[in-house]
Amino acid sequence: MLRLLAAFCYRAVYKLHHALCLRPGAPLQNSKLIVVGSYRTGGAGKTPFCIWLCKHYAAQGKRVALLAHDYAFDETAMLRQIFSGTESIQVFATKNRYRLAHELDESRKFDYIVCDDGFEDSRLTGAVTLLLNWESAPTRISELWPCGKMRSLAKDHRINSSNTIPLMCHGENPDIRFVIDKVLHIATKTEWDGVSKANIACGIGDPERFCKDIQNFGIHIGQTYFFNDHCKTFSTEFEQHLQDQLQDSFIISEKDAARLPAEFIQKNVNRQIFVAFQTTKISPETLQKLP
């Protein structure tokens, strides 16, 4: 009951914030604006899909700006590592996607501006939204945070076929699949040696799905240690688990690895710490839908 009351309060604040602060703004004039969004509070696969999408546009000779929220410091660090040395893709961290998108649009330097999230920012008028769905669109207050995993209801958005493209991420024939395709040692980059058991330490939006992906890769899971998404104390807490279990192997996500300072990796170079790398697979039909 208390959570349901909190969800009602959350929705009231959400509606008030949109009415006062997030009124529809002006569309971009030069660049194509793409929003990769989801109703979920986290764990929808927005960032992995943004990585694939930017590479897709860059392969066509397009110049791409990728906008991430600076609160997600770990995602920004990971994205900059991935696109380091890639001249056609630049990563920007911002508190205000709308303002930065217009500044970049005025510079005329980019063909596409891709927003990692921004589905809730109703100022982004004229954007094409690629909406990642793992379930049906939420319609009840009880589905909202903190009762459920959703940030808003379907009726809170102007959904139409001209500016929103729903993409299914589950079922037998999904539009998008996220698959772990390699597990490498964090320091030496050697491949997972086939040992059948490993502990999982991760602070991401959907750690349970990460564990399922690890199992699908063929690795048996021992202990699991879950942290909050964007956890700033991940390295110190992870270090403690390493000290408590000196002989165990650990697997973390690529985003978790981006939180670890170079000194941590150097200090633990001889420990069995591995990073699971995820690939994004798009159906042929979905390719035809993309703007």
Side-chain angles (χ1 to χ4, degrees):
M1 182 60 70
L2 289 178
R3 284 193 175 186
L4 184 59
L5 178 61
F8 271 100
C9 294
Y10 163 81
R11 177 163 171 74
V13 172
Y14 175 95
K15 297 291 288 184
L16 181 63
H17 178 61
H18 275 70
L20 297 179
C21 304
L22 298 180
R23 295 176 181 176
L28 302 188
Q29 299 300 312
N30 305 298
S31 305
K32 186 74 172 180
L33 183 61
I34 308 292
V35 169
V36 176
S38 173
Y39 289 103
R40 286 188 168 203
T41 55
K46 296 184 296 294
T47 301
F49 181 59
C50 281
I51 293 169
W52 181 91
L53 193 65
C54 290
K55 291 180 178 179
H56 172 71
Y57 289 137
Q60 299 175 16
K62 305 299 184 182
R63 301 161 301 168
V64 186
L66 176 55
L67 277 53
H69 200 289
D70 64 357
Y71 171 78
F73 70 98
D74 43 2
E75 291 177 358
T76 302
M78 180 185 71
L79 291 169
R80 286 176 173 161
Q81 290 173 8
I82 290 172
F83 293 125
S84 175
T86 306
E87 294 183 1
S88 57
I89 303 172
Q90 293 187 40
V91 178
F92 298 86
T94 179
K95 288 184 174 69
N96 191 323
R97 292 184 183 88
Y98 176 76
R99 182 173 60 194
L100 180 56
H102 276 270
E103 291 174 359
L104 296 175
D105 182 57
E106 292 173 3
S107 74
R108 297 177 179 266
K109 292 182 178 179
F110 300 98
D111 301 297
Y112 285 88
I113 297 176
V114 177
C115 294
D116 184 354
D117 209 357
F119 180 53
E120 305 297 337
D121 194 338
S122 48
R123 296 173 299 177
L124 299 175
T125 304
V128 174
T129 298
L130 303 178
L131 184 59
L132 307 190
N133 292 322
W134 289 86
E135 56 272 296
S136 58
T139 58
R140 302 185 303 275
I141 298 291
S142 59
E143 297 177 83
L144 295 178
W145 181 88
C147 285
K149 296 181 178 181
M150 306 303 174
R151 294 181 295 181
S152 57
L153 302 181
K155 63 183 180 181
D156 296 327
H157 303 271
R158 296 178 180 178
I159 303 296
N160 60 67
S161 58
S162 64
N163 65 2
T164 301
I165 302 174
L167 299 174
M168 302 308 298
C169 301
H170 70 287
E172 293 185 2
N173 297 298
D175 297 307
I176 304 173
R177 289 193 298 124
F178 303 102
V179 180
I180 291 174
D181 64 340
K182 58 185 177 182
V183 179
L184 304 179
H185 190 272
I186 192 169
T188 66
K189 308 305 179 185
T190 53
E191 293 186 4
W192 175 256
D193 58 7
V195 176
S196 61
K197 183 178 179 180
N199 296 334
I200 304 296
C202 66
I204 57 178
D206 193 341
E208 288 84 5
R209 181 161 60 82
F210 180 70
C211 289
K212 290 180 181 178
D213 292 342
I214 291 292
Q215 291 173 324
N216 290 335
F217 187 78
I219 298 174
H220 177 66
I221 296 175
Q223 300 294 320
T224 57
Y225 304 96
F226 296 157
F227 304 83
N228 291 332
D229 200 6
H230 314 304
C231 178
K232 293 186 177 180
T233 60
F234 177 78
S235 61
T236 55
E237 295 186 51
F238 183 34
E239 178 74 37
Q240 184 59 57
H241 292 306
L242 290 172
Q243 295 304 318
D244 292 342
Q245 300 178 347
L246 294 174
Q247 304 304 315
D248 288 3
S249 297
F250 281 83
I251 296 177
I252 63 177
S253 74
E254 195 174 1
K255 187 165 79 170
D256 296 312
R259 299 189 188 106
L260 300 177
E263 310 84 68
F264 179 99
I265 298 173
Q266 186 176 28
K267 177 182 177 182
N268 293 283
V269 65
N270 295 319
R271 293 298 307 273
Q272 294 301 299
I273 304 173
F274 292 84
V275 181
F277 292 86
Q278 189 179 66
T279 188
T280 302
K281 297 187 176 182
I282 310 298
S283 71
E285 296 77 14
T286 301
L287 283 173
Q288 303 302 317
K289 300 178 184 178
L290 298 179

